[in-house]
Amino acid sequence: MAVDKLMSLKEAVSKYIQDGDTVYYGGFQIMVPMALTHEIIRQKKRNLTTIESSTDVGGLDLLVGAGCVSEIHSAWIMNWYVKAPYAIRRAFQSKQTKRFDVSNFAATSALIAGFLGVPFLPVRGNIGTDMMKLNPTDLKMVKDPFTGEEMTVVRAWRADVAVIHAQVADRLGNVWSWGTRGVTDEFGAMGAKRGVIVTAEEIVEPDITRSDPDRTVVPYFKTLAVVHAPWGAHPSACRGYYGLDIRYSQYQGKYERNAELLPKFLDEWVYGCEDHKAYIDKYIQKFGQAGLDRLKPTLGYKPKYQVDYGFHDPAVWKGVPQYTDEYIKA
Amino acid sequence: MHATNYKLTELMVVRCAKEINDSEVVFAGVGLPLVVVGFAMVTHAPNMILFTEGGSIRATAPPGLAITVDDPALFCNGDASFGMLSTMAALQRGEVDVAFIGGAQIDKYGNINSTGVGDWSKPESFTYFAGSGGANDMATSGKRVLAIMPQDPKKFVEKVDYLTTPGFLDGPGTRKKLGMIGGGPSVVVSTMGVYRFDEKTCEMYLAEYFPGQSVDKVKANCSFDLKISPNVKETEPPTEEEISVLRNIDPTGFYLG
């Protein structure tokens, strides 16, 4: 049954994320679930395993730097704006966090295998590399049963719970994402065993989302919680809502770079903010409304053709005689 | 008219763009490749098709500089956009002409490291970079690989610390033996010159050095014993128009510096 899943960030994370969970971490270089990242840190979740293909702006770096993550399965992790994942680098060196590296398409295929409910998928990449040698947890060679040739396979990745950010969701949990759909969010989310926590820029009524189901990347039955979080991907971009905050990503990166400084950042911007609205208020207080205004996107890229899904009522056939002609024997 | 005032990064981008032929399907990784394809699309390769890991498929230059591979600009008036699956699957189907990547280290066989330096099995000694991203998939299955990398003896090395992305691996025949469908490295463009690969030995050699550079200068910035083409020549400098078009694409110098 469809139930109202709209709740606060605090409630969503405390109810649906447990210590030790495997978490699908949504987004890519943009649409990073930062509001959820901050709340997971605030609630001091521990021993999480993260799965995703690639992730930027240092969101995962903060999560690791705050001590929430013990295992990372990924192809690429960065704060591109300081050119390194500093906290993750330190966490690997100190053995706080284990890394399991694969290529982007191996990661995508692992998530698709989870989405499909099958144990593994063949991939063309990774063979011949150190990822293949050093990550037997995710990558193995098998014999193709049809041709007898050796090939690479990647293990299915299935999260316990997925955290994603989207442009729009309804209160039942239908999630819209446009502009390349979810990149890999649709697979990571659908493969999640318990379901999905979504933050969205806007909450709409279900009659809106249901009027355009092609835009839905996660249907309500997979969704555990819907959180209204404007600026929920900041400092990463959200298509149609705001651009990338390069200066803030660099600012955050300077804290990530330094193990002694990072706790000060977390105190001020995460623990010191009750929720995401408080974080954005703090941003305005520190860097001014002009800082946020600078992130306004260039709009005007709306679809130029309005589709009509339409349907046909088979009742019109009532009483219509069979079509026939001289070649068809009655 | 030749430009007189330009940065080596700008020449690297302009020279690299010339390796893209019109009408080719080019899969561009994050960073300078995005600037190069933007430049190629508005100059000599108007029929090029751009693919990115973020799932963008487009036949026209984006309306603004794409900083990321899933940048909103890539999806404004794009041709198709349905996620990483759609573009990377095209690699596996063998439909991508040019795999266009960067990296942190490269060896003489064109093997690339973008994972980190040190000894991975001794974590305390290992300094992580980003990881493969899509570079491994692109270089495994793209018909040919185009790499762009600043020249530095720490980057052009005898052996990469971590083999993330396959070049010719340990030499002739290995890619084929492992079942890779792509042809492997074709060209490397650095801030000092242009490299190609010997068809027989699969080893990298210097084909061109940039104006103001020399064979000796390049050799001094390369940590392996670099082979030099008997026909090695100086790269033609960019034109003023090329530099002006390029600076228009990245007006704040985010990538060009």
Side-chain angles (χ1 to χ4, degrees):
Chain A
M1 198 190 71
V3 295
D4 192 326
K5 293 163 190 159
L6 194 58
M7 61 185 80
S8 69
L9 196 56
K10 190 181 271 179
E11 188 183 1
V13 169
S14 72
K15 235 178 169 167
Y16 296 114
I17 299 182
Q18 294 161 15
D19 288 353
D21 272 354
T22 295
V23 177
Y24 170 74
Y25 192 72
F28 187 14
Q29 289 195 275
I30 75 166
M31 308 290 281
V32 180
M34 291 304 294
L36 280 158
T37 302
H38 289 179
E39 187 58 31
I40 292 169
I41 294 172
R42 256 177 231 123
Q43 295 194 21
K44 298 190 165 62
K45 301 291 180 185
R46 289 294 178 262
N47 294 317
L48 303 178
T49 292
T50 58
I51 55 174
E52 39 74 41
S53 58
S54 287
T55 187
D56 203 351
V57 301
L60 193 49
D61 210 50
L62 283 186
L63 208 56
V64 170
C68 304
V69 181
S70 54
E71 270 191 30
I72 294 171
H73 298 254
S74 177
W76 193 92
I77 310 169
M78 254 315 214
N79 181 337
W80 185 243
Y81 310 95
V82 288
K83 292 283 184 280
Y86 287 108
I88 288 173
R89 189 179 275 179
R90 290 191 297 271
F92 180 77
Q93 288 171 342
S94 70
K95 301 187 179 128
Q96 173 204 318
T97 303
K98 288 184 186 158
R99 282 213 40 174
F100 299 84
D101 291 290
V102 299
S103 74
N104 243 351
F105 202 59
T108 304
S109 299
L111 295 168
I112 293 173
F115 166 84
L116 293 173
V118 297
F120 60 86
L121 272 184
V123 290
R124 290 204 178 275
N126 301 270
I127 191 166
T129 70
D130 283 328
M131 295 184 286
M132 198 73 211
K133 270 187 219 152
L134 301 169
N135 183 8
T137 304
D138 291 317
L139 299 165
K140 291 238 189 311
M141 300 292 293
V142 295
K143 202 177 275 250
D144 175 342
F146 299 101
T147 66
E149 277 170 30
E150 286 285 317
M151 65 179 322
T152 311
V153 292
V154 63
R155 176 179 73 94
W157 290 354
R158 290 197 70 177
D160 294 304
V161 60
V163 295
I164 64 171
H165 184 71
Q167 288 113 322
V168 165
D170 69 29
R171 56 180 62 251
L172 308 179
N174 290 308
V175 179
W176 268 4
S177 181
W178 60 86
T180 206
R181 298 180 63 80
V183 185
T184 56
D185 283 0
E186 65 276 46
F187 305 121
M190 296 304 278
K193 292 173 193 165
R194 293 205 301 270
V196 183
I197 303 174
V198 58
T199 51
E201 295 295 322
E202 288 186 74
I203 305 296
V204 299
E205 289 305 312
D207 69 311
I208 303 278
T209 43
R210 286 169 174 160
S211 74
D212 198 359
D214 278 7
R215 215 186 291 280
T216 299
V217 290
V218 181
Y220 77 91
F221 77 93
K222 287 299 294 191
T223 304
L224 298 165
V226 178
V227 178
H228 185 212
W231 301 98
H234 179 271
S236 71
C238 183
R239 287 193 186 86
Y241 289 82
Y242 43 89
L244 176 72
D245 196 337
I246 293 176
R247 287 291 175 271
Y248 185 85
S249 297
Q250 291 166 330
Y251 167 83
Q252 178 183 300
K254 286 171 191 164
Y255 282 94
E256 287 165 358
R257 187 157 57 200
N258 184 318
E260 279 79 54
L261 273 184
L262 186 58
K264 290 191 205 308
F265 178 89
L266 294 174
D267 279 345
E268 181 172 2
W269 292 94
V270 183
Y271 300 120
C273 298
E274 197 193 343
D275 55 16
H276 203 62
K277 185 176 178 307
Y279 162 85
I280 291 298
D281 288 346
K282 168 155 228 31
Y283 182 98
I284 294 168
Q285 184 199 333
K286 192 147 181 164
F287 302 118
Q289 181 63 39
L292 279 191
D293 291 346
R294 208 172 284 121
L295 305 179
K296 258 193 227 159
T298 304
L299 294 174
Y301 290 89
K302 286 186 183 180
K304 288 180 179 160
Y305 187 88
Q306 173 121 38
V307 301
D308 193 324
Y309 281 74
F311 85 106
H312 181 259
D313 184 355
V316 299
W317 298 112
K318 196 176 175 194
V320 178
Q322 291 291 322
Y323 291 169
T324 187
D325 60 27
E326 65 272 30
Y327 298 109
I328 297 174
K329 308 273 185 292
Chain B
M1 208 167 65
H2 285 152
T4 48
N5 190 10
Y6 57 86
K7 296 186 195 103
L8 284 178
T9 310
E10 291 171 327
L11 174 55
M12 169 164 75
V13 167
V14 170
R15 180 60 191 84
C16 200
K18 287 174 185 159
E19 294 297 323
I20 293 168
N21 302 312
D22 199 13
S23 301
E24 283 188 311
V25 174
V26 181
F27 204 117
V30 71
L32 283 172
L34 290 170
V35 183
V36 175
V37 294
F39 178 80
M41 284 175 120
V42 297
T43 54
H44 70 281
N47 300 302
M48 197 204 99
I49 301 165
L50 169 61
F51 279 40
T52 71
E53 288 151 79
S56 169
I57 298 174
R58 59 183 304 141
T60 57
L65 174 67
I67 286 177
T68 69
V69 291
D70 55 352
D71 200 288
L74 289 170
F75 302 92
C76 292
N77 289 332
D79 287 84
S81 57
F82 41 108
M84 193 180 287
L85 168 63
S86 61
T87 50
M88 297 214 101
L91 276 167
Q92 293 202 151
R93 293 195 303 266
E95 293 170 358
V96 171
D97 297 311
V98 182
F100 189 4
I101 60 180
Q105 284 184 328
I106 190 166
D107 70 14
K108 66 177 175 181
Y109 289 121
N111 299 307
I112 289 178
N113 170 16
S114 53
T115 304
V117 289
D119 178 356
W120 192 91
S121 60
K122 297 188 187 85
E124 64 282 4
S125 82
F126 195 78
T127 301
Y128 251 100
F129 304 142
S132 160
N136 171 282
D137 308 291
M138 288 152 70
T140 302
S141 302
K143 286 180 197 163
R144 68 174 200 277
V145 178
L146 172 54
I148 186 165
M149 210 179 283
Q151 187 79 41
D152 187 318
K154 285 191 196 126
K155 289 177 172 286
F156 285 68
V157 295
E158 180 67 33
K159 191 176 183 298
V160 291
D161 287 21
Y162 187 109
L163 201 165
T164 316
T165 294
F168 291 108
L169 297 155
D170 58 2
T174 306
R175 288 181 64 95
K176 199 160 185 201
K177 200 176 75 198
L178 294 180
M180 292 182 186
I181 60 170
S186 153
V187 185
V188 179
V189 180
S190 82
T191 37
M192 294 180 85
V194 179
Y195 305 82
R196 297 188 188 279
F197 291 83
D198 186 274
E199 274 180 35
K200 283 209 186 78
T201 66
C202 294
E203 278 186 51
M204 194 192 292
Y205 64 84
L206 186 69
E208 295 175 28
Y209 52 88
F210 284 178
Q213 310 299 324
S214 65
V215 169
D216 285 346
K217 276 193 194 167
V218 175
K219 282 189 95 144
N221 282 281
C222 179
S223 293
F224 57 85
D225 183 22
L226 181 63
K227 305 276 194 311
I228 310 295
S229 165
N231 305 315
V232 69
K233 59 175 185 186
E234 186 174 290
T235 304
E236 203 174 314
T239 65
E240 279 187 359
E241 200 201 338
E242 285 169 334
I243 293 297
S244 136
V245 168
L246 183 59
R247 287 180 187 165
N248 237 348
I249 290 173
D250 182 13
T252 68
F254 182 80
Y255 280 125
L256 295 171

